[in-house]
Amino acid sequence: MQTLAPGPLKTVDVHWEKLKTAKLEALAEVLELHHDEHIYFLARDMEYFYDLAKVMLRGTEDAKRIHLLNVSRENVKNSHLPDYLAQEGLDSKTLTAGRKALLFDTGFVGTISRAVESGLTDEAKANLRTQLLISANARHGSTRSFLRALGRSDAALDPADMFYSIVDY
């Protein structure tokens, strides 16, 4: 029996398709380039990346170096932050002993990274880096594969031009 009901509506959101590709490529780039570091995904914005990394690395030794760090602008000034960071392996003692770590966040200036670094010795800071999807801070790199997948990879790109692309996702 034939039905007259319309089939499913087939629409493609080009921006969403590019964003999905951008996220996958950015994560693959970070996992590959930072294979010798513990990677801390900064929660709220980076939980999707953390979840995907855990799935991608499931059953491997590398899965042990993937962490979700629950630090945001809402709690960055909490008096218990140093204790929490130590619990997560981001204290001067652990970093000075040789742990290499990468903070991975969406962007723009590295406010959370600055707060994490503020309680560390200079020697410990040498083992801590930050990678942002879109960076307006010369100290922290932008993830070029993310920009390229969105069609925005020229070297002269002003990160402010990407603000709404990041916020929208």
Side-chain angles (χ1 to χ4, degrees):
M1 176 182 204
Q2 189 174 12
T3 179
L4 297 177
L9 183 60
K10 294 182 180 179
T11 61
V12 175
D13 180 343
V14 177
H15 181 70
W16 175 239
E17 293 302 316
K18 285 183 177 181
L19 199 52
K20 287 191 298 187
T21 299
K23 289 177 178 184
L24 287 171
E25 289 183 9
L27 181 58
E29 177 183 314
V30 166
L31 292 175
E32 181 64 25
L33 293 177
H34 302 280
H35 59 86
D36 63 338
E37 296 166 288
H38 284 256
I39 301 173
Y40 292 84
F41 296 84
L42 298 184
R44 273 189 348 206
D45 294 349
M46 297 305 282
E47 288 186 41
Y48 171 87
F49 285 86
Y50 167 79
D51 291 342
L52 188 54
K54 291 301 267 188
V55 169
M56 290 170 71
L57 298 174
R58 183 180 309 161
T60 70
E61 279 298 306
D62 280 338
K64 295 176 184 174
R65 63 186 184 86
I66 303 302
H67 311 273
L68 183 64
L69 194 64
N70 289 301
V71 179
S72 68
R73 289 177 189 238
E74 300 297 320
N75 63 12
V76 75
K77 294 181 181 177
N78 187 293
S79 63
H80 297 289
L81 180 62
D83 296 327
Y84 173 68
L85 294 174
Q87 169 191 305
E88 297 300 315
L90 286 174
D91 59 322
S92 289
K93 180 180 178 185
T94 305
L95 292 169
T96 302
R99 173 174 277 189
K100 294 180 181 177
L102 177 79
L103 301 176
F104 190 32
D105 202 0
T106 50
F108 295 102
V109 295
T111 304
I112 305 302
S113 298
R114 192 169 45 252
V116 171
E117 289 175 359
S118 70
L120 299 175
T121 64
D122 288 341
E123 187 179 359
K125 288 178 190 176
N127 282 337
L128 179 65
R129 296 192 297 161
T130 296
Q131 178 72 41
L132 303 173
L133 288 178
I134 305 292
S135 179
N137 182 336
R139 288 185 58 220
H140 310 305
S142 291
T143 309
R144 288 293 171 189
S145 61
F146 181 78
L147 299 173
R148 186 184 64 249
L150 293 177
R152 304 295 304 270
S153 61
D154 61 76
L157 176 68
D158 180 358
D161 292 342
M162 293 297 294
F163 180 80
Y164 290 106
S165 293
I166 298 297
V167 171
D168 284 348
Y169 104 90

